[in-house]
Amino acid sequence: MTSVRITFLGTGAGNCIHRAHTAIVLDWENGPRILIDASSGNSVLRNAAMMGMVSSEFNKILASHHHSDHIGGLPHIQGQRFLLDPHGEPLEVYCSEETAHGIRDLFDATSITHSTTEDSLVSRDGVTLAKWCPVQVQESIDLGSRVKASSFSVDHIKGAIGWRIERDGLSVVFSGDTRFSSEVVNASQEADILIHEALSIESEKESTYRRGHSTALDAARVARMGGVKQLVMTHIDTTYHSSSGLLVKEAAEYYEGPISVAHDLFRINVAS
């Protein structure tokens, strides 16, 4: 038997005025702490502190794509890690090739005392502070303590991916930003929990798809077709911040399992 505690540090869509941007922490029992996406600004630092976490404990990050609401917090996380532990291990960010380029450009644009190479951030003394590690779709990554992660393609922008993280038969799937996608369905098969974006409801489907996102019904379709055990919706837009019941109501029309809508500082435990 194994378990994972999932903490949502940010659950808002890019334009949401009520929530921090996407960042999710997976704490595996007697295992690693994994951060999925890095939000923007100092949101990870602030909300992590409220939940008893510090940035020096974030050593491995799984990034979904290079939009600023998903990787914009990286320089702040890395900077705080360096202040807390100047001699610590480099931050490792796993991502697609396209996202790796975006991360390097981000550090180039924001770093004052450090410089970048093709795949890393380096101090003036030549010490590697962070590494971005491009992965291939479905490539298995060993995150330690038997925790494995693999990425899958999604329908958002070039290089956007989702993640399936698992250990000893317990699996967590994160859709990243995406329209409804059969790739997400395939990656979600028999998952213990599916974390799927839900920007709107079906009445706004056309505009939602134009923005490269999903409706609550789309999330429910993936959950049902994947046979997942529970669905958590995230990446919530301003309209549904205080009306998340509409998302749940729509999802429940298609998926019969447990459904919830995450909010900032929402925490859930999953066990197998």
Side-chain angles (χ1 to χ4, degrees):
M1 181 175 178
T2 190
S3 65
V4 60
R5 185 183 69 185
I6 305 173
T7 305
F8 291 79
L9 301 182
T11 58
N15 295 325
C16 185
I17 63 174
H18 300 298
R19 299 167 178 241
H21 290 143
T22 301
I24 306 166
V25 180
L26 306 185
D27 283 308
W28 292 88
E29 182 182 17
N30 300 317
R33 168 170 285 169
I34 309 299
L35 178 63
I36 304 177
D37 281 344
S39 191
S40 61
N42 69 343
S43 296
V44 166
L45 304 186
R46 294 179 68 251
N47 286 350
M50 293 177 66
M51 301 301 285
M53 307 175 190
V54 293
S55 59
S56 58
E57 298 169 344
F58 298 134
N59 300 315
K60 300 179 189 296
I61 298 178
L62 306 177
S64 65
H65 64 294
H66 62 267
H67 277 163
S68 61
D69 57 321
H70 292 260
I71 65 166
L74 283 173
H76 302 280
I77 295 169
Q78 182 279 320
Q80 188 70 0
R81 289 178 82 253
F82 182 75
L83 289 175
L84 293 172
D85 187 6
H87 305 292
E89 293 296 313
L91 177 67
E92 297 176 7
V93 186
Y94 296 92
C95 57
S96 68
E97 193 73 48
E98 292 83 356
T99 300
H101 290 311
I103 292 172
R104 185 183 62 197
D105 290 345
L106 175 63
F107 277 108
D108 276 338
T110 57
S111 183
I112 298 173
T113 59
H114 311 316
S115 60
T116 64
T117 67
E118 182 66 24
D119 61 0
S120 60
L121 179 72
V122 181
S123 72
R124 288 175 177 172
D125 299 325
V127 177
T128 300
L129 304 174
K131 300 186 294 184
W132 31 97
C133 310
V135 299
Q136 300 299 314
V137 169
Q138 296 184 345
E139 175 185 353
S140 180
I141 306 165
D142 186 350
L143 299 174
S145 300
R146 305 185 310 283
V147 178
K148 308 284 187 180
S150 58
S151 66
F152 51 90
S153 299
V154 299
D155 184 10
H156 186 56
I157 62 170
K158 186 177 181 181
I161 55 178
W163 288 97
R164 182 179 177 113
I165 310 99
E166 48 196 336
R167 183 176 76 171
D168 299 342
L170 191 156
S171 54
V172 177
V173 174
F174 173 59
S175 72
D177 285 10
T178 186
R179 301 175 183 89
F180 174 82
S181 170
S182 60
E183 297 290 342
V184 186
V185 173
N186 293 338
S188 300
Q189 293 300 308
E190 307 302 322
D192 290 275
I193 183 169
L194 169 65
I195 303 169
H196 199 291
E197 72 134 284
L199 190 74
S200 72
I201 57 177
E202 281 291 291
S203 61
E204 300 172 38
K205 178 178 179 178
E206 184 176 341
S207 63
T208 296
Y209 275 28
R210 282 200 304 268
R211 294 169 63 183
H213 294 291
S214 295
T215 66
L217 184 59
D218 290 327
R221 288 171 63 200
V222 173
R224 179 174 174 176
M225 294 170 72
V228 306
K229 295 179 181 177
Q230 65 175 305
L231 169 65
V232 177
M233 293 181 285
T234 188
H235 202 266
I236 309 305
D237 214 353
T238 299
T239 303
Y240 297 97
H241 168 68
S242 57
S243 302
S244 61
L246 295 175
L247 301 174
V248 174
K249 180 180 179 181
E250 179 169 278
E253 295 175 3
Y254 202 88
Y255 173 67
E256 297 180 352
I259 302 170
S260 56
V261 176
H263 54 80
D264 292 4
L265 310 185
F266 177 71
R267 179 171 275 173
I268 186 171
N269 291 290
V270 182
S272 64

